[in-house]
Amino acid sequence: MMEDTELADDPVSHIFRLIDPVKEIFVLLGQKHDFGSVRPEVQRVAELAGKIA
């Protein structure tokens, strides 16, 4: 589901997976994780892997 991560703050909702591309946060089993800080490195590694293949 792509939505604002504030949706996961609702105590009644049970979010299994959610991603917020604007805030660069994903929610997995109710826990929020920042992916913005590692995104550039993941993109760099993916580009390097594409050059090998």
Side-chain angles (χ1 to χ4, degrees):
M1 169 187 315
M2 290 183 71
E3 190 65 53
D4 189 306
T5 55
E6 291 182 17
L7 182 66
D9 294 335
D10 183 358
V12 178
S13 67
H14 299 285
I15 303 298
F16 179 68
R17 288 182 301 184
L18 179 143
I19 187 164
D20 184 336
V22 175
K23 294 180 182 174
E24 296 185 327
I25 295 174
F26 71 93
V27 179
L28 184 61
L29 299 174
Q31 293 186 331
K32 293 182 181 181
H33 305 276
D34 171 43
F35 69 86
S37 60
V38 298
R39 188 178 195 173
E41 185 64 13
V42 170
Q43 288 176 322
R44 185 184 76 80
V45 169
E47 289 173 8
L48 291 172
K51 292 177 182 178
I52 295 171

